[in-house]
Amino acid sequence: MRFEVGSFTDTGRVRESNQDRLLVAGDFVAVADGMGGHAGGELAAETAIDDLRRFGEPHDAEDVVAAIRQANRAVVATADRHGLANMGTTVVAALLRPIRRSVTIANVGDSRAYLLHNGELDQVTRDHSLVQDLVRSGRISEDEAREHPHRNVLTRVLGIAEEIDVDTFELAVSEGDLVLLASDGLFNEVEVDDMARIVGDRDDLGAAAADLVARANENGGNDNITVILARIVDDAPQASEPAPAHEIAGQNGQPVEGSDSAAVAHETMEPGEAKDAPSGTGDPDEVERSGLVAATDADASDRRETAEVPVVSGPVRRRPSRLRAAVFTLCVLALLGLGAGAFIAYGRNAWFVEPVANEVVIHRGRPGGLLFIEPTPVQPTGIDIDDLNPASRNRVEEVPVFSSLEDAQTFVDQLELSAVRAGG
C-alpha cells in the first residue's frame, strides 16, 4: 500500500507574485500561504516550508506538531532579522502513513485539508479566522461568511508569536481515498462539489491538481492557488474474507487454478488403473486421497478374483465392495464437515465497527448475522459517534468489516475525534 501524490501552484489572475509554497518530501506534504506584503508573504511561506523540509520526515502526530512549531520559530526569527513585524504564513500539513492506513493532518490558519471518500469531499480542518469563529458561535451563517468584510482576518498564523497552537486530526483511510491540501485561493473560488467531481474524474493526480487550479482561475483567480493531492493505492490487496467453500473445492468438476486441495478432490482414474498411494503427511486432503486410491485398488482386486472363478451358468453377480462404500461415506461426511466448518469460520472470523446507542463498538461476526450465527459486541470504545468529524462518522456508519480484531482496533485508534481542539 502506498500514496500517489500530485501538486500544482499558480499565481492566479490578480496577484503580482505567488506567495504560496508547497512541500512534497516522501510521505510528508504541506502547503503554506504567506501574508504581510509582497516580500513578507513570500519570505514567510518559503521560510516555513524550508524549515519543515530540514526537519526531516516525521513519524507521528507529535513529530508533525514539533516540525510546525519549529517552523514557526524560524519565521519569527526571520521576521525579526528583516524588521517585518506583520510577516506570517498559514500551514496545513499531512503525514501519509500507508502501512497504518492513516493520515495525520495538522493546520494553523485557513489553508485547508479535505478527505474524498466514496465520492464525497469533506473538510477536515477548521479555519482559524474571525469569520469562522463567528460561524461556529452561530452569529453568522456560512453564506454570510463568504461575503463578510473581515473574512481575511486570521486568528492564528505562523510568525506572530514564539509559541503556536497546532490543531491535529487522525484519519483512517482505505484504498481510493484522497487527501486534498489547498490554500484559500482554491476553495474561495471553487465549490466543494465541483472539486470532488474534478478530482474524481482524473487518474493522473498532477493533471487533477492542474485542473483544480484552472477552474479557480476561470472563476476569478483572485488569489494565489496551491493544491496537493494524495491518493492511497493498494498494489497487492489481500482478501479480508475466507473464500466460499465451493470456490475452495472447485465448480462443475473442475479444479480451482492454483489450489492443491481442489486438484486432489477432482483427481480421476481410468477403470483398472492404479495410482501409487501418497506418503502420509497428516494433511486432511492427503488422507482423503489415500482413501480414494485404496477403494479403487480394492475394486480392481475384486475384479481380478471374479475373473478366476469358472462360469457355470449365467453371469456371476459381484457384491459391492464394503470398503469402497465405507470410504465413500467417510468422504461425504468429511466434505460436509469441511463445508460446515468453513461456513462457521466465515460467520465468526470477522469483526466490524458499528455504533450502539451512539457509542462506537467493535463486534465479532458479520453485520446483521449469518443464519444461526449472530454477531456479538466484544469491545466498547467510549467514542461517541457525534464527536467524530463528518468523514470519520461516514466511515463508521458504513459498518466496515475487518479480518482480525487487531485491524478493527487499529481502525478505531485512527478515528479522528472532534474532541481534539486547539492546542491538540
Side-chain angles (χ1 to χ4, degrees):
M1 182 163 286
R2 60 187 174 83
F3 279 90
E4 292 179 338
V5 178
S7 62
F8 203 87
T9 186
D10 188 70
T11 303
R13 301 178 62 184
V14 175
R15 305 290 188 185
E16 294 182 356
S17 63
N18 192 349
Q19 299 181 34
D20 287 357
R21 294 293 186 273
L22 62 85
L23 169 69
V24 177
D27 289 334
F28 189 39
V29 297
V31 169
D33 180 1
M35 63 199 67
H38 172 72
E42 287 187 44
L43 183 59
E46 188 166 327
T47 299
I49 291 299
D50 286 347
D51 205 78
L52 290 176
R53 183 180 290 107
R54 282 193 295 271
F55 184 90
E57 187 169 321
H59 296 93
D60 52 31
E62 291 183 0
D63 283 351
V64 175
V65 172
I68 292 176
R69 287 176 173 165
Q70 177 178 295
N72 172 63
R73 291 189 289 272
V75 176
V76 170
T78 301
D80 288 343
R81 285 197 304 271
H82 291 81
L84 300 172
N86 294 324
M87 185 180 85
T89 183
T90 70
V91 67
V92 58
L95 173 59
L96 312 174
R97 309 169 78 180
I99 295 178
R100 291 176 54 87
R101 294 174 179 261
S102 70
V103 177
T104 299
I105 302 290
N107 80 299
V108 177
D110 65 348
S111 292
R112 293 179 182 175
Y114 294 83
L115 176 66
L116 181 73
H117 175 71
N118 287 344
E120 296 291 330
L121 189 66
D122 293 313
Q123 182 177 339
V124 176
T125 54
R126 297 177 298 122
D127 296 349
H128 302 137
S129 65
L130 176 62
V131 294
Q132 284 304 308
D133 286 347
L134 295 175
V135 170
R136 282 192 288 270
S137 66
R139 296 170 63 182
I140 64 173
S141 67
E142 288 285 358
D143 291 338
E144 291 172 329
R146 293 190 184 94
E147 303 299 329
H148 198 281
H150 300 306
R151 61 184 178 275
N152 294 324
V153 177
L154 301 183
T155 57
R156 199 189 308 176
V157 294
L158 272 64
I160 301 302
E162 288 285 345
E163 298 301 325
I164 190 71
D165 290 332
V166 182
D167 285 359
T168 60
F169 308 84
E170 290 289 339
L171 303 180
V173 294
S174 56
E175 182 182 8
D177 287 354
L178 183 143
V179 175
L180 185 158
L181 306 185
S183 61
D184 61 349
L186 175 69
F187 52 80
N188 282 345
E189 303 288 0
V190 185
E191 295 293 333
V192 170
D193 290 344
D194 203 11
M195 288 192 284
R197 183 189 60 77
I198 291 172
V199 297
D201 288 345
R202 301 301 299 268
D203 292 330
D204 185 330
L205 294 187
D211 287 348
L212 287 172
V213 171
R215 179 57 55 86
N217 279 323
E218 290 172 7
N219 293 348
N222 292 296
D223 203 348
N224 306 145
I225 314 153
T226 300
V227 177
I228 296 177
L229 300 174
R231 180 169 55 212
I232 192 166
V233 178
D234 197 344
D235 292 321
Q238 297 181 354
S240 60
E241 300 176 355
H246 71 270
E247 291 183 7
I248 296 174
Q251 297 181 4
N252 301 323
Q254 298 300 318
V256 176
E257 183 177 354
S259 172
D260 293 337
S261 61
V264 170
H266 294 280
E267 184 177 10
T268 60
M269 292 183 289
E270 295 297 327
E273 179 185 358
K275 290 184 179 290
D276 294 334
S279 59
T281 62
D283 182 77
D285 291 330
E286 293 291 342
V287 174
E288 289 177 20
R289 180 166 59 178
S290 299
L292 290 171
V293 173
T296 305
D297 289 343
D299 190 30
S301 176
D302 285 348
R303 288 197 296 272
R304 287 194 298 270
E305 291 174 3
T306 302
E308 295 171 0
V309 177
V311 177
V312 178
S313 62
V316 177
R317 298 179 182 273
R318 291 189 297 111
R319 290 184 297 177
S321 170
R322 293 180 179 179
L323 178 59
R324 181 175 59 183
V327 171
F328 177 79
T329 301
L330 288 174
C331 289
V332 170
L333 291 176
L335 288 175
L336 290 175
L338 288 173
F343 180 83
I344 293 172
Y346 177 78
R348 291 292 295 162
N349 293 340
W351 285 259
F352 64 92
V353 175
E354 186 177 50
V356 176
N358 272 24
E359 183 182 13
V360 177
V361 177
I362 298 176
H363 297 72
R364 183 176 185 179
R366 299 283 165 180
L370 189 65
L371 294 181
F372 56 88
I373 306 173
E374 294 293 333
T376 55
V378 295
Q379 185 176 312
T381 65
I383 300 174
D384 192 319
I385 192 169
D386 293 332
D387 289 337
L388 301 176
N389 73 4
S392 296
R393 186 163 54 250
N394 289 341
R395 294 294 311 282
V396 173
E397 290 174 346
E398 290 171 0
V399 191
V401 179
F402 304 91
S403 58
S404 70
L405 177 60
E406 182 180 0
D407 288 346
Q409 291 170 332
T410 299
F411 173 82
V412 169
D413 290 341
Q414 294 167 355
L415 288 174
E416 182 262 309
L417 299 178
S418 298
V420 178
R421 293 295 185 254

